[in-house]
């Protein structure tokens, strides 16, 4: 919590009770949390909080690099992970939506250099691997 507060302050953001509640909910809800789950948690203390406000706060925390947003391609929405670990990527199951952390990054410096060939300056990348987790592999036809 303290590092979140410090990072928000150093970027000139106010620590509103709502913002504090969103951070608290992220911590309380476990590793991978949807905005809806954050909202349900926060609503216990802030019944008027809207999903939009939750998304705005999650977006801010993501922009500051405090939270990592994982694109699940699911109707339930993306999931958010507190990004205290090293830069890493995720496996996302297309069937159950479960995510798993990968403890390595498959993008190497020379590939970033290639991406910058036309003068674009790359500052970060985001990458998810989609497929089926072990439990879901049984009866799901493999997409090529
Ligand atoms: Zn699965
Ligand atoms: Zn992760
Ligand atoms: Zn990477």
């Amino acid at each position: 919590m303290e590092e979140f507060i410090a990072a928000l302050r150093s970027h000139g953001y106010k620590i509103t009770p709502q913002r504090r509640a969103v951070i608290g909910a992220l911590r309380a809800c476990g590793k991978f949390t949807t905005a809806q789950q954050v909202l349900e948690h926060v609503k216990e203390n802030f019944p008027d909080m809207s999903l939009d406000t939750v998304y705005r706060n999650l977006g801010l925390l993501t922009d500051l690099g405090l939270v990592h947003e994982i694109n699940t391609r699911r109707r339930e929405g993306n999931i958010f992970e507190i990004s205290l670990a090293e830069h890493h990527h995720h496996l996302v199951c297309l069937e159950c939506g479960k995510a798993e952390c990968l403890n390595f990054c498959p993008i190497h410096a020379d590939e970033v250099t290639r991406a910058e060939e036309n003068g674009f300056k790359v500052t970060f990348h985001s990458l998810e691997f989609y497929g089926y987790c072990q439990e879901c592999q049984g009866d799901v036809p493999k997409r090529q």
Side-chain angles (χ1 to χ4, degrees), residues 49-133:
M49 178 91 89
S50 70
L51 188 59
D52 204 53
T53 305
V54 170
Y55 266 117
R56 246 184 297 119
N57 278 290
L58 289 174
L60 170 64
L61 297 172
T62 304
D63 289 346
L64 294 177
L66 299 168
V67 165
H68 183 67
E69 181 173 10
I70 302 161
N71 182 358
T72 61
R73 301 166 60 103
R74 286 166 72 82
R75 229 177 291 120
E76 295 89 329
N78 290 347
I79 49 181
F80 297 85
E81 175 188 55
I82 291 176
S83 64
L84 296 176
E86 293 276 289
H87 167 83
H88 65 284
H89 295 281
H90 297 90
L91 303 169
V92 180
C93 180
L94 291 167
E95 184 67 17
C96 67
K98 218 166 56 189
E100 273 175 61
C101 297
L102 271 188
N103 62 1
F104 68 97
C105 173
I107 308 287
H108 297 104
D110 49 332
E111 283 137 6
V112 175
T113 306
R114 272 186 71 193
E116 290 181 325
E117 255 166 23
N118 295 326
F120 190 91
K121 178 80 191 112
V122 172
T123 55
F124 75 98
H125 65 264
S126 138
L127 173 68
E128 266 87 57
F129 292 86
Y130 299 96
Y132 299 97
C133 74

Side-chain angles (χ1 to χ4, degrees), residues 35-49:
Q36 187 62 45
Q37 286 170 326
V38 169
L39 179 66
E40 274 155 32
H41 203 270
V42 166
K43 272 199 156 167
E44 290 167 18
N45 292 313
F46 298 92
D48 296 336
M49 178 91 89

